[in-house]
Amino acid sequence: MSFRKCSALILVAVMIIALVAVGCGGEAGPSEGGRLVVGNNSDVASLDPHMATDLYTIRVCDQIFDTLVRLDFDGNYVGSLAESWSVSGDGTVWEFDLRDDVVYHDGESFDASDVIFTFERILDPELESPRRNELGLVEDMRVGDDGEADLIITLREPNGAFLSTLLTVYVVPEHLVGDLGDKPRGSGPFVLEEWVPEERIVLSAFDDYWGDRPLLDELVFRPIPEVSTRVVELETGGIHLMDEVPGEDLERLEALDEIRVTSAVGSNYSVMGLNTAREPFDDPNVRKAIAYAIDRERLVEVVYPGTAVAADGPLPPSSWAYDEDFSGPGYDLERALGFMENSSVPDGFSAELLISEGERMERGAVLIQSMLEEIGIEVEVVTQEWGTFLQSLIARDYDMLRVAWTTDPEPDALMYSLMHSSSEALNFTGLSSPDVDSLLDRARAESDVEERAALYREVQSIAVEEATMIYLLHENHVAASADSVHDFRPHLTGAFYFQNTLGAGTWMEVD
Amino acid sequence: MDRIKTWVGHLRNDRRAALGLILLIALLVGAVGAPILSPHSPNDFFDGVRETPGTEGHPLGTDSVGRDLVTRLLYGARVSLLVGLGATILAAFVGFAVGAIAGYWGGWVDRGLMVVVEVFLSFPAILLAVALVAFMGPGLSSVVLALGAVGWTDFARLVRGEVLALKEREFVAAARAAGAGDLRLIVRHLLPHLAGPMVVMGSFALASAVLSEAALSFLGLGVSPPTPSWGSMLADGRGLMRVSPHLTWIPGLAITLAVLGFNLLGDGLRDFLDPRTRY
Amino acid sequence: MTSFALRRGLMALPVLIGVSLLVFVMARVIPGDPVLIATGLERAHPEELARAAQRLGLDRPLPVQYADYLGRLVRGDLGVSLRHQRPVVDLILDRLPATLELAGVAFVLSLGLGVPLGVISAVRRGGPYDYLAVLVSVGGMSVPAFWLGLLLILIFSLNLGWFPASARGGPLAEAAWAIFSGGGIRPLLRSLSHLVLPSIALAAPAVGLIARMTRSGMLDVLGEDYILGARSRGLPERSVIYRHALKNALIPVVTVSGLFLGRLFGGAVILETVFAWPGIGRLAVLAVGRRDYAVIGGAALMVAFGFVLVNAAVDLMYAALDPRIRYG
C-alpha cells in the first residue's frame, strides 16, 4: 500500500468535492438546523457539574448548565445569568443583578435563591466537590431586598479574582438537583437527550434559552481517544469537529477544502521546574544558565509545530495582564555558559528530568536533554505515569520536571499557587521571594484591572529573573471542523461555545 | 553437536523455520553490529525532522525530533532483543522453579502453587503489566520485569506437566537410588529433558514479549526516552501516519519481521522435536 | 458428573480469592493519590486531600481495608467509582456487552479462519499451501495490534470508505432481533459494519494460535490407528479428514478457549482505544491511570471470573466429550 497513491486519491476526491461545491455556488447565511457531532478525547466523568474537573466534562457541562458570568472569546467577563455586577470600594461586597427571563429545561424560572443553593451545595463537605476550596472565600450571601441588587455576596477578604471562581459554578436549582445523576437539567443552551457512556452524549437545542435559541438542532459529543482515529473520522464525515489536532497534521488539513482549521492562544504555560531544595538548583547562576540554554523556538517548531508559542514568562498572550513589551531570556548559549562558569558547578553536573508519559513530553524531553548537554549538564530523562508523576511533584521528589499549568486567564489562578511561598502543596520549585508574595497578595486584594495587570507584570519579571521555573511555551487550542460548520472557533480556555451569547452562533449547512 | 547437525538437516526441509532463522540472524546482526553499521549515534540530532527515506546522509530518513532513523532502528534491535530475552529468561526461570516444585513434590504443594498459577493466568495480563510499570516507573528494567511477571505461568504449566510425566520414568528412580538429592535430580536429570519444550516455548514467549513491549509503549509505559526501542518508535510515530508514514512503517515492519522470525523458528523447532506436541 | 462439576466449581473459589488479593495489593502499591488525580493539580489543596482520603478509608491499615473489601465483594458490592461517582457494577454492566460482542465476533472469526488454515497446513504438510497458510496465520500474530488497527482504519475507512473508522454501531443482539420484530435489516448491517475492523484486528493474533493448535492436533490425529483404519476401508479422503480427524483434532482447540479469552481481553484493552469501542478494557486501563481502585478491582475480577467460568465450562465439556477423563 503506497501512501503516495493514497494521498493522490484523496487529492482527486478533494478536487471533485471542490468542483461540486463550486457548482452549487451561493453563500448561504446562518440557518437553523443540523446535527453537529464533536469528537472529544474522552468521555465525561459524570454529569454532576459540581464534580467536574477535566476539560471534556466541563465542555459538556457548559452546554447544559449556565453560570453567572462567562468569558467571551477575548477573555473579557460577560454576563450570563447575571446581567450586571459591581464590587464595593473595599473589594469585599459583590452585587449581582440577575436576568429575570431565565427558565430551566423543565420550565421553572431561575432566581437568586438558586445561586445560593448552588453555593451551599458546593460548600457542603459531604459532596467533596473540587470547587469547595475555591469558594471558601465567601463569607455570606443573600438575596437582595427591594431596592437592592438581586444577589449580594460578601467575601472574607477583598478578592479581585472572584469572578474567575464563578466561571465553573454551574447553577443547579434545588428542584433539579435530584436528577443530576440520572438526567441532569439546567438552564444552558442545550438539553441533554441521551448519554450512552463511552459512546455518545446527545443534546438538543433548548427552545426557551434566555439568549437566542442555538442554531444547531442537535449537538453530539463522541469520545474518540486516539487522535489518528479522530482525524480519520473528521475526514470521513463521522464527526464534524475536533480539537487537539496534531501540529504535524495541520498543514495537510489546512490544504484540504473540506476541512477548516481554527485556533486560539490558550490560557496556560508549560514550564521546566527546578527543585531549589536540591543542589545545584539552589544556585541562581545554574538556573539562569538553564534558562538561557533552552531554545524555546526550536522546541515549539519541532514538538508543537503550529500548536504553541514560545513563552517569555508565565503570562500567556491571551491574558489581560499580558505584557507585549516583556521579553524573557532568549536562547543565548554564550550567556548560558557564562552563568555556568560563575556557578557552584562550573564543570557541569548530572541531573534527572522528570516527565509524565506522552509522545510530546518525550520528544520535548530529549530535545531539552540535548540542549542542556551543550552547557555541561548531563540529563537523564525519567518518565513517570501521570498519577505517580503528580505524587513526585507534590512530594518535591525530583531534580527538574516538565509540567503544564492550565487555568482560566485570571493571573491569580495562573500564578498564585505556584509562586506564593505560603502555597506549600503547589509551589513545587520552592520559590520563596518576599517581593513576589507581597505583589501577589496586593494584586489579589485589588479590584482595579489596570492596577492588577501592573502588579502581575511585576511578579512575572521577578519570577523570570528567579528562574525557578523555566517558562517554555503556551499551547494553543487548535480545532478542525468540516466545511459545513460555520462560525465556530475554540475558546481560549479550551471550552466549546455554540450559542450566540458569546459571539456568532455556530451553524451548519443542512442539505 | 549431533543434535545440531540433524537440526540443520531438518532446516533444509523446513523452509518456514529457515525463514525464521534468517530473520533472526538479521536481527542479531543488526543488534550486535549496531555501532559499526550505524551512520550516526542514536542520540545525534539533525536539523531536518521527519525527513523521508533516501534523504542524503539518512537512508531511512529522520524521526520526529531529527534523529537518524536507521541508527535508531539498529540500536532499537538491541533494546527489543534485550527486552524479549530478559523477560523470557525471567519468565522461564520462575516458571521452571514453580513448575518443577509443583510437579515434583505434588500434593498440597502442587495444589497451592497451581492456585497461584491460576490466579496469575486468569488475571488480565495487560492490567498487571500496566500496574507493575506504573509501580516501578517506566523504563527498561520495569518493562522486563512486568513482561516476565505475566509470562511465567505458561512455563510453569508446561514444566509441571512434563515433570509429572517424567518423574514416573525409570531413570528418575535410578538416579534417586544412586543417591541424588531432590535439587540435583531436578536440575541434572529432569532439566535436560525439559530443555527442548522450554526452548520452543521460549521462542514463542520472545515473540509475545516484543509485541507486548509495543503495547506498553502505546499506553505510554514503555522504555524511557531517549532509549530507542521499536515499540516506542512505533508509538511515537502513530500520530504521524498521515504525514510521515515511514515513522511507523519502518519500526512496524521491524517488529513484525522479528516476531515472525521467533514464531516461525518456534514452530520449526517444535516440529523437529516432536511434531505432535502442542502449545 | 454433578460431583465433578461441584468440585470444579470449588476449585475456582481460591483462585477468585487470590485474584481479589492480587488486585487489592496491586492497586494499593502503585504510587499516586486517587484524590489528587481526580481533583487535578490546579485545584489541589492539601487539607481537602487529607479529608477526602480519610473519608474514602484510604488511610486505614491495609489488612482492614482488604477485609472490608472482601466482605463487600461477598455481598456482591464492587464499590463506587471515584471518578464516575457511580457503582462499579453499573459501569461494568454498561460496558461488558460491548466487549463480549467484540470478543465473541473476533473469536468466531478466528475459528472460522484459523481452523481451515490449520487443516490446510496439516493436510498439505510441507507443501506450498502449508507454507502459505502458516505465513498468513503467523503473520497475523506478529503485527503489533494498535498499528494493525490504525492501518485497517486508514485503508478501509479512509481510502476505500468501506467501513466506519470507530465506535459501536448499536448492540449486535438488538440489531439482529430487529429483523424479526420488523425493524428491517439495516440495524444489523450497521452494527456489523462497525464490528468489522476492530474484530479483524482483535482476531488477527488468535487466528494464528488456532491454526497452530489445529495443525498440530490434525497431525496428531492423522497418525492414529482409527484414521489409518478408515483410510484402509477406502473411505474418501475428504470424509476421513473432516468427519473423523477434524472432530478429534478440535478437542484441544476447545480446551484453550479460556486462554484465548484472556488474550482477547489483552488485545481489547488496546483496540478499544484505537477504535473508540465502549468496552471494559478501556475502562480498566483508564482506571489504573486514575487509581480508581474500585473499578480496577471490579474489572479485573470480572475478567478473572469470566476466565475461570470458561475454563470450568471447558473442563466439563471436555469430560463429557472424552470418556477417558474420570469424574472422580
Side-chain angles (χ1 to χ4, degrees), chain C residues 247-279:
Chain C
K247 212 171 76 185
N248 288 302
L250 283 185
I251 292 178
V253 177
V254 173
T255 60
V256 291
S257 308
L259 282 180
F260 282 131
L261 193 92
R263 277 173 203 267
L264 286 179
F265 180 79
V269 167
I270 305 284
L271 291 169
E272 284 178 0
T273 299
V274 171
F275 288 99
W277 195 261

Side-chain angles (χ1 to χ4, degrees), chain A residues 128 134 229 233 385 406, chain C residues 42-43 55 166 274 291:
Chain A
E128 293 175 24
E134 296 165 34
T229 310
E233 283 283 18
E385 188 269 349
T406 305
Chain C
E42 282 87 344
R43 300 183 189 281
R55 204 182 310 276
S166 71
V274 171
R291 311 293 188 270

